[in-house]
């Protein structure tokens, strides 16, 4: 039975790798529709305990397809482990994604995470938390220092952010609040 238990995680990993590979294919196809004005980036959160062979398979698939898989894992040590190889100039289909809400929930600084990611940064989300959990960017009690985050992204050369309004009770209001707060942070 131990052999069957080991097969289950391997089967799940294989399906996950295949799903991410298909997402890379789709993203690459979609990026051609805008005349190359957009990078083919797939955002996900890879598990810390991902087998090195599976990580290599994802990396190879993304490179073959001309895509980048941005890992939005919130742990700084996890981010730094991936950025070391990437900053060293090694080509990779794997890169770093920044999710401020997850990073703040781990009592870390999104701005510092952007700085630590360096050239390995491929995707940055714009979201926030308050003492109750995820909230609209700029909401009362929110924790994200927008000015520091925006400044770090500018210095890193990140040309865009993805506004994340998942789980917001009123996504339209969250979008409007975030646009206003982001514009204010960018004008300082």
């Amino acid at each position: 039975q131990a052999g069957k238990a080991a097969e289950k995680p391997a089967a799940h990993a294989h399906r996950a790798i295949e799903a991410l590979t298909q997402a890379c294919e789709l993203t690459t196809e979609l990026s051609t529709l805008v005349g190359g004005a957009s990078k083919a980036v797939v955002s996900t959160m890879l598990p810390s305990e991902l087998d090195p062979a599976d990580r290599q398979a994802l990396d190879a698939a993304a490179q073959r397809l001309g895509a980048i898989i941005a890992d939005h894992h919130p742990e700084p040590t996890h981010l730094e482990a991936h950025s070391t190889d990437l900053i060293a100039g090694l080509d990779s289909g794997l890169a770093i994604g920044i999710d401020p809400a997850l990073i703040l929930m781990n009592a870390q600084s999104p701005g510092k995470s952007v700085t630590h990611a360096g050239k390995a940064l491929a995707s940055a989300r714009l979201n926030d938390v308050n003492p109750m959990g995820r909230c609209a960017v700029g909401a009362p009690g929110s924790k994200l220092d927008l000015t520091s985050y925006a400044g770090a992204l500018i210095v890193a050369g990140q040309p865009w952010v993805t506004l994340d309004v998942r789980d917001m009770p009123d996504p339209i209001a969250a979008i409007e609040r975030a646009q206003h707060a982001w514009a204010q942070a960018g004008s300082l």
Side-chain angles (χ1 to χ4, degrees):
Q1 283 189 343
K4 287 185 179 181
E7 290 175 13
K8 282 187 178 183
H12 289 282
H14 179 71
R15 282 196 304 269
I17 290 169
E18 183 59 32
L20 279 170
T21 300
Q22 290 175 356
C24 287
E25 287 180 75
L26 177 62
T27 304
T28 300
E29 289 174 19
L30 292 173
S31 71
T32 62
L33 296 176
V34 292
S38 178
K39 292 191 287 186
V41 178
V42 174
S43 292
T44 190
M45 189 164 58
L46 299 173
S48 299
E49 65 281 352
L50 183 64
D51 183 84
D54 292 337
R55 185 173 298 283
Q56 288 177 334
L58 284 171
D59 183 13
Q63 285 187 57
R64 177 176 47 80
L65 295 165
I68 298 169
I69 297 173
D71 184 3
H72 288 268
H73 200 285
E75 291 294 324
T77 55
H78 185 75
L79 298 175
E80 290 167 9
H82 295 306
S83 65
T84 303
D85 289 343
L86 296 168
I87 290 171
L90 301 174
D91 286 333
S92 180
L94 299 178
I96 294 174
I98 299 294
D99 187 308
L102 291 175
I103 292 169
L104 288 165
M105 286 181 203
N106 280 296
Q108 301 294 322
S109 163
K112 286 182 182 177
S113 293
V114 167
T115 302
H116 288 255
K119 294 178 181 173
L121 179 64
S123 176
R125 293 179 179 157
L126 180 58
N127 55 26
D128 209 340
V129 294
N130 64 18
M132 300 299 292
R134 291 175 56 87
C135 69
V137 173
S142 61
K143 295 183 178 182
L144 179 61
D145 180 345
L146 281 169
T147 304
S148 294
Y149 186 55
L153 290 170
I154 290 167
V155 170
Q158 180 65 23
W160 48 271
V161 294
T162 301
L163 179 56
D164 180 2
V165 294
R166 292 174 293 162
D167 304 325
M168 295 294 107
D170 185 354
I172 301 299
I175 290 168
E176 290 170 356
R177 181 183 294 269
Q179 287 174 325
H180 178 73
W182 190 249
Q184 291 278 301
S187 68
L188 299 176

